[in-house]
Amino acid sequence: MGNSPCNPSPDTVNELFSIAQSRGIVPDAGLDGTLGTFLSLNSSVALSHQYADIQRSLSPERLTSYNHDLATTFGDGAQIAFGGVGIVALALSLLLEVLAHHTLSDPIQRIFGADHSSDIGTLVSEYLKQVPKVANEPQKMAEVTERYDRALAHELIDFYEVMTVDRRMSSASIKQWLNGAAFHLHLRIHQVRMGAYKKGYAESLGISYKAGFPVLIKTYTEYLQRHVRERPPGPLPGLLIIEPFRNMTHQVHHRPCESDAIANRIASKVLEAQGIQRSMDFFEETEKHMDSLISQQGNFSLQANVSKSM
């Protein structure tokens, strides 16, 4: 059988999607690379490389100022407990970045996006800003971590229900929840690492998040299928809508009857580009390497610029 006369060519779909990517209207809803790097077994190496790269990139004057800022925060030549590991390594990485570039912008916004439909990003930001102050005080670190563990658990459960039950869905919401769940799981792992809980405390959370993925992804897929719309150019410019506030005009000509099929294929390509399956793989890998992650014990030395074994 031949193709339907209203079946768009792959070239048409690919051209439209390529233009959408170049104009920045394809949403980012996947796991941020910073979390993937520092919430991993390679966190110590990644942090050491970042620290060395920053030092090499700064002028002598800026390096002196940079080292002074670090010494003011931690003490001269300090070692930070668990500094090369997991959420502490993440906190140090973001601090090193901010001090190096003297930026007022919050790198947490890069991870969680600018949308404020939940408090997930705010809670993570608050916690990570406190970590450098309490990392070398085990009791305070345990108390702060416990407090934010509870707050994040409550916020993530509520926000999951907002998306899947109330159907108040968006790409920004998915991004916040996925990154928040990844961070929360590793916050639990750090509590186990510090000896506050048994392995099952983190393990059960990972299982719970994995169990919630199918409904979440199904709801998001349906959301995209409802919102992606396309019309060809005619008297007016062509129009592609991905979701509210993400749209563009275009001049990609095709038959009007192809628009519905184009919209469906664009929705599928958006899902592929976002790498949500890779985000889910992060939780699989965390579960697979749970014992190794818990046993990580790397301090971080600002003076020697290497991760030390406790």
Side-chain angles (χ1 to χ4, degrees), residues 198-224:
K198 299 294 185 182
K199 173 185 173 182
Y201 188 60
E203 204 167 34
S204 61
L205 184 68
I207 292 170
S208 174
Y209 283 148
K210 282 173 54 183
F213 283 152
V215 171
L216 186 68
I217 301 309
K218 180 176 182 292
T219 305
Y220 181 55
T221 300
E222 292 169 350
Y223 163 84
L224 283 177

Side-chain angles (χ1 to χ4, degrees), residues 6-144:
C6 287
N7 189 29
S9 74
D11 288 345
T12 299
V13 176
N14 290 338
E15 183 180 2
L16 271 170
F17 188 71
S18 178
I19 296 171
Q21 286 182 308
S22 68
R23 295 190 188 175
I25 71 164
V26 176
D28 171 18
L31 186 72
D32 186 81
T34 304
L35 296 190
T37 297
F38 290 100
L39 304 183
S40 75
L41 293 173
N42 296 320
S43 57
S44 178
V45 172
L47 186 62
S48 291
H49 285 170
Q50 179 190 4
Y51 187 34
D53 289 345
I54 288 173
Q55 289 179 313
R56 283 193 295 267
S57 71
L58 297 176
S59 67
E61 295 79 11
R62 280 286 297 115
L63 182 58
T64 298
S65 174
Y66 181 67
N67 288 334
H68 178 266
D69 289 341
L70 289 174
T72 300
T73 302
F74 298 106
D76 193 22
Q79 286 201 37
I80 297 94
F82 294 109
V85 173
I87 56 172
V88 185
L90 175 63
L92 293 182
S93 170
L94 299 183
L95 178 63
L96 293 176
E97 175 187 338
V98 169
L99 291 179
H101 302 294
H102 277 185
T103 177
L104 297 177
S105 63
D106 188 350
I108 290 295
Q109 184 169 306
R110 182 182 68 236
I111 298 173
F112 291 91
D115 183 81
H116 296 291
S117 54
S118 83
D119 289 332
I120 295 169
T122 299
L123 289 169
V124 173
S125 180
E126 289 175 358
Y127 174 75
L128 290 176
K129 288 174 181 176
Q130 292 189 53
V131 166
K133 303 173 186 176
V134 300
N136 285 336
E137 300 181 59
Q139 184 61 36
K140 287 186 178 179
M141 181 67 178
E143 291 171 357
V144 169

